[in-house]
Amino acid sequence: MTSIDATPDSIISYTCKCDELGHAVTRFQNLDRHHPTCPANRAIGDNSITLRGSINGINLDILLDSGATISFISPNSVYRMNLKSTDIDKIPEIHVRLGDDSSVIVNTAIKSSLFLGNHHELQLTFCIMPLARGCDVILGFDAMVKYDFTLHPASKRVTALIDDTRVNLTYISAENDVIST
């Protein structure tokens, strides 16, 4: 059974039976019109560091968020990947506190290879959660620690340690230009 419920205290519960993910995405997209604090109603600002990457050949916009303990992927992105229900893991319920002090409950995740920049592969687990417009993936602190990310906020330069080599990653400027460093 898939359910997406908004409560008066701004908690959004997103429960998904894996074989109904497409239907759940549609229901969530409809919910965002009625619930102003819904994550899908927020957009990514210019004061952020974003990357381009891909999973299963699907191009993704990725937000780096050092304040996120774990990494996330949007249900819509998972749906576009045409994953089988066996590829989606049921996990213990996690209450995710958002920046506006509302929270979202997640209970599903995928393990996948995320490709960044010049095909640099990162093996990660992503919790499935509705994300802001223009954001398909949030790379959280777990990924940054695992791959020893270095962020230079002023220049938006991002490096990571992949296969024992420090590599520069491609980021997206505020004007949506892809810039290789």
Side-chain angles (χ1 to χ4, degrees):
M1 179 168 108
T2 303
S3 66
I4 304 170
D5 303 302
T7 62
D9 57 354
S10 298
I11 295 176
I12 298 170
S13 174
Y14 179 81
T15 305
C16 177
K17 181 178 176 186
C18 299
D19 59 351
E20 296 180 357
L21 186 59
H23 178 68
V25 168
T26 302
R27 287 189 63 207
F28 186 81
Q29 290 167 341
N30 290 335
L31 173 67
D32 70 0
R33 290 179 299 165
H34 306 293
H35 198 275
T37 64
C38 177
N41 270 336
R42 299 183 196 114
I44 301 302
D46 292 337
N47 293 326
S48 60
I49 298 177
T50 55
L51 303 171
R52 284 253 161 89
S54 66
I55 297 177
N56 291 352
I58 303 297
N59 292 327
L60 302 167
D61 290 325
I62 302 160
L63 173 68
L64 299 183
D65 186 351
S66 61
T69 307
I70 55 180
S71 296
F72 299 95
I73 188 165
S74 72
N76 190 45
S77 298
V78 173
Y79 178 70
R80 291 184 317 169
M81 290 177 212
N82 293 316
L83 296 177
K84 298 175 186 152
S85 61
T86 55
D87 296 327
I88 301 173
D89 299 320
K90 185 80 169 159
I91 59 171
E93 197 171 86
I94 299 171
H95 294 257
V96 180
R97 179 71 54 195
L98 303 176
D100 67 355
D101 208 32
S102 65
S103 66
V104 175
I105 300 170
V106 296
N107 63 0
T108 53
I110 63 167
K111 294 177 184 169
S112 189
S113 294
L114 171 66
F115 292 91
L116 295 174
N118 295 323
H119 306 290
H120 302 295
E121 181 179 4
L122 284 67
Q123 291 286 326
L124 297 168
T125 298
F126 301 93
C127 289
I128 301 171
M129 181 180 87
L131 302 176
R133 283 188 307 263
C135 180
D136 301 307
V137 170
I138 291 177
L139 278 186
F141 200 65
D142 60 332
M144 293 180 201
V145 169
K146 183 175 181 178
Y147 291 98
D148 193 24
F149 272 52
T150 303
L151 308 177
H152 188 265
S155 66
K156 295 193 178 186
R157 182 177 172 192
V158 180
T159 68
L161 190 61
I162 302 173
D163 297 326
D164 297 321
T165 304
R166 173 94 19 219
V167 297
N168 293 315
L169 301 176
T170 302
Y171 71 89
I172 305 169
S173 72
E175 293 79 32
N176 244 357
D177 296 326
V178 176
I179 300 172
S180 293
T181 55

